Coordinates of all heavy atoms in Angstrom, one line a residue:
T23 N 45.3 -40.8 63.2 CA 45.4 -41.8 64.3 C 46.3 -42.9 63.9 O 47.2 -43.3 64.7 CB 44.0 -42.3 64.7 OG1 43.2 -41.2 65.1 CG2 44.1 -43.3 65.9
D24 N 46.1 -43.4 62.7 CA 46.9 -44.5 62.2 C 48.4 -44.1 62.2 O 49.3 -44.9 62.5 CB 46.5 -45.0 60.9 CG 45.1 -45.7 60.9 OD1 44.7 -46.1 62.0 OD2 44.5 -45.9 59.8
D27 N 49.8 -44.0 65.7 CA 50.0 -45.4 66.2 C 51.2 -46.0 65.5 O 52.0 -46.7 66.2 CB 48.7 -46.2 66.1 CG 47.7 -45.9 67.1 OD1 48.0 -45.5 68.2 OD2 46.5 -46.1 66.8
L28 N 51.3 -45.8 64.2 CA 52.4 -46.4 63.5 C 53.7 -45.9 64.1 O 54.7 -46.6 64.3 CB 52.3 -46.1 62.0 CG 53.4 -46.7 61.1 CD1 53.5 -48.2 61.3 CD2 53.2 -46.3 59.7
A30 N 54.3 -44.7 67.0 CA 54.4 -45.2 68.4 C 54.9 -46.6 68.4 O 55.7 -47.0 69.2 CB 53.1 -45.0 69.2
V31 N 54.3 -47.4 67.5 CA 54.8 -48.8 67.4 C 56.2 -48.9 67.0 O 57.0 -49.6 67.5 CB 53.8 -49.6 66.5 CG1 54.5 -51.0 66.1 CG2 52.5 -49.8 67.1
T34 N 58.5 -48.2 69.8 CA 58.6 -49.3 70.7 C 59.6 -50.3 70.2 O 60.5 -50.8 70.9 CB 57.3 -49.9 71.0 OG1 56.4 -48.9 71.7 CG2 57.4 -51.2 71.9
H55 N 56.1 -55.5 77.8 CA 55.1 -55.6 78.9 C 55.7 -56.7 79.8 O 55.9 -57.8 79.2 CB 53.7 -55.9 78.4 CG 52.7 -55.8 79.5 ND1 52.6 -56.8 80.5 CD2 51.8 -54.8 79.8 CE1 51.6 -56.4 81.3 NE2 51.1 -55.2 80.9
I95 N 54.8 -53.9 59.6 CA 54.0 -53.6 60.8 C 52.5 -53.6 60.3 O 52.2 -53.0 59.3 CB 54.3 -52.2 61.4 CG1 55.7 -52.1 61.9 CG2 53.3 -51.9 62.5 CD1 56.2 -50.8 62.4
Q96 N 51.7 -54.2 61.1 CA 50.2 -54.2 60.9 C 49.6 -53.8 62.2 O 49.9 -54.3 63.3 CB 49.7 -55.6 60.4 CG 50.2 -56.0 59.1 CD 49.7 -57.4 58.7 OE1 49.6 -58.3 59.6 NE2 49.5 -57.6 57.5
I97 N 48.6 -52.8 62.1 CA 47.9 -52.3 63.3 C 46.4 -52.5 63.1 O 45.9 -52.1 62.0 CB 48.3 -50.9 63.6 CG1 49.8 -50.7 63.8 CG2 47.5 -50.4 64.8 CD1 50.3 -49.3 63.9
Q98 N 45.8 -53.0 64.1 CA 44.3 -53.0 64.1 C 43.8 -52.6 65.5 O 44.0 -53.4 66.4 CB 43.8 -54.4 63.7 CG 42.3 -54.4 63.5 CD 41.8 -53.6 62.3 OE1 42.3 -53.6 61.2 NE2 40.8 -52.7 62.6
G99 N 43.3 -51.4 65.6 CA 42.8 -50.9 66.9 C 43.9 -50.9 67.9 O 44.9 -50.2 67.7
T100 N 43.8 -51.7 69.0 CA 44.8 -51.6 70.0 C 45.7 -52.8 70.0 O 46.4 -53.1 71.0 CB 44.1 -51.7 71.4 OG1 43.2 -52.8 71.5 CG2 43.2 -50.4 71.6
S101 N 45.8 -53.5 68.8 CA 46.8 -54.6 68.7 C 47.6 -54.3 67.4 O 47.2 -53.7 66.5 CB 46.0 -55.9 68.6 OG 45.2 -56.0 67.5
A102 N 48.8 -54.9 67.5 CA 49.7 -54.7 66.3 C 50.6 -56.0 66.2 O 50.8 -56.7 67.2 CB 50.6 -53.5 66.5
Q103 N 51.0 -56.2 65.0 CA 51.9 -57.3 64.7 C 53.1 -56.8 63.9 O 52.9 -56.0 63.0 CB 51.2 -58.4 63.9 CG 52.0 -59.6 63.6 CD 52.2 -60.5 64.9 OE1 51.3 -60.6 65.7 NE2 53.3 -61.1 65.0
M119 N 56.7 -60.0 66.5 CA 56.3 -59.3 67.7 C 54.8 -59.0 67.7 O 54.3 -58.5 66.7 CB 57.1 -58.0 67.9 CG 58.6 -58.1 67.9 SD 59.2 -59.1 69.2 CE 60.8 -58.4 69.3
S120 N 54.2 -59.3 68.8 CA 52.8 -58.9 69.0 C 52.8 -57.8 70.1 O 53.5 -57.9 71.1 CB 51.9 -60.1 69.6 OG 51.8 -61.1 68.6
L121 N 52.1 -56.7 69.8 CA 52.1 -55.6 70.6 C 50.7 -55.2 71.0 O 49.7 -55.4 70.2 CB 52.7 -54.3 70.0 CG 54.2 -54.5 69.6 CD1 54.3 -54.9 68.1 CD2 54.9 -53.1 69.7
L122 N 50.5 -54.6 72.2 CA 49.2 -54.1 72.6 C 49.4 -52.6 73.0 O 50.4 -52.3 73.6 CB 48.6 -54.9 73.8 CG 48.2 -56.3 73.5 CD1 47.7 -57.0 74.7 CD2 47.0 -56.3 72.4
K123 N 48.3 -51.8 72.8 CA 48.3 -50.4 73.2 C 47.8 -50.4 74.6 O 46.6 -50.6 74.9 CB 47.4 -49.6 72.2 CG 47.5 -48.1 72.5 CD 46.7 -47.4 71.4 CE 46.9 -45.9 71.5 NZ 46.2 -45.2 70.4
T124 N 48.7 -50.2 75.5 CA 48.4 -50.2 77.0 C 48.3 -48.8 77.4 O 48.6 -47.8 76.7 CB 49.5 -50.9 77.8 OG1 50.7 -50.1 77.8 CG2 49.8 -52.3 77.2
P125 N 47.8 -48.5 78.7 CA 47.8 -47.2 79.2 C 49.2 -46.5 79.2 O 49.3 -45.3 79.2 CB 47.3 -47.3 80.6 CG 46.4 -48.6 80.6 CD 47.2 -49.5 79.6
E126 N 50.3 -47.4 79.2 CA 51.6 -46.9 79.2 C 52.2 -46.7 77.8 O 53.3 -46.4 77.6 CB 52.6 -47.8 80.0 CG 52.3 -47.9 81.5 CD 51.1 -48.8 81.8 OE1 50.8 -49.8 81.1 OE2 50.4 -48.4 82.8
G127 N 51.4 -47.0 76.8 CA 51.8 -46.9 75.4 C 51.9 -48.3 74.8 O 51.5 -49.3 75.4
W128 N 52.4 -48.4 73.6 CA 52.5 -49.7 72.9 C 53.6 -50.5 73.5 O 54.7 -50.0 73.7 CB 52.8 -49.4 71.4 CG 51.6 -49.0 70.6 CD1 51.3 -47.7 70.4 CD2 50.6 -49.8 70.0 NE1 50.2 -47.6 69.6 CE2 49.7 -48.9 69.4 CE3 50.4 -51.1 70.0 CZ2 48.6 -49.4 68.7 CZ3 49.3 -51.6 69.3 CH2 48.4 -50.7 68.7
K129 N 53.3 -51.8 73.8 CA 54.3 -52.7 74.5 C 54.3 -54.0 73.8 O 53.2 -54.5 73.3 CB 53.9 -52.9 76.0 CG 53.9 -51.6 76.8 CD 55.3 -51.1 77.0 CE 55.3 -49.9 77.8 NZ 56.7 -49.4 78.0
I130 N 55.4 -54.6 73.7 CA 55.6 -56.0 73.1 C 55.1 -56.9 74.2 O 55.6 -56.9 75.3 CB 57.0 -56.3 72.8 CG1 57.5 -55.3 71.7 CG2 57.2 -57.7 72.3 CD1 59.0 -55.3 71.4
V131 N 54.1 -57.7 73.8 CA 53.5 -58.7 74.8 C 53.9 -60.1 74.4 O 53.8 -61.0 75.2 CB 52.0 -58.6 74.9 CG1 51.6 -57.2 75.5 CG2 51.3 -58.8 73.6

Side-chain angles (χ1 to χ4, degrees):
T23 301
D24 291 346
D27 282 333
L28 180 60
V31 167
T34 299
H55 190 284
I95 298 173
Q96 295 177 324
I97 301 172
Q98 186 64 50
T100 58
S101 63
Q103 185 72 36
M119 305 295 206
S120 294
L121 300 92
L122 291 176
K123 189 175 187 178
T124 72
E126 294 78 33
W128 285 94
K129 298 291 179 182
I130 298 168
V131 297

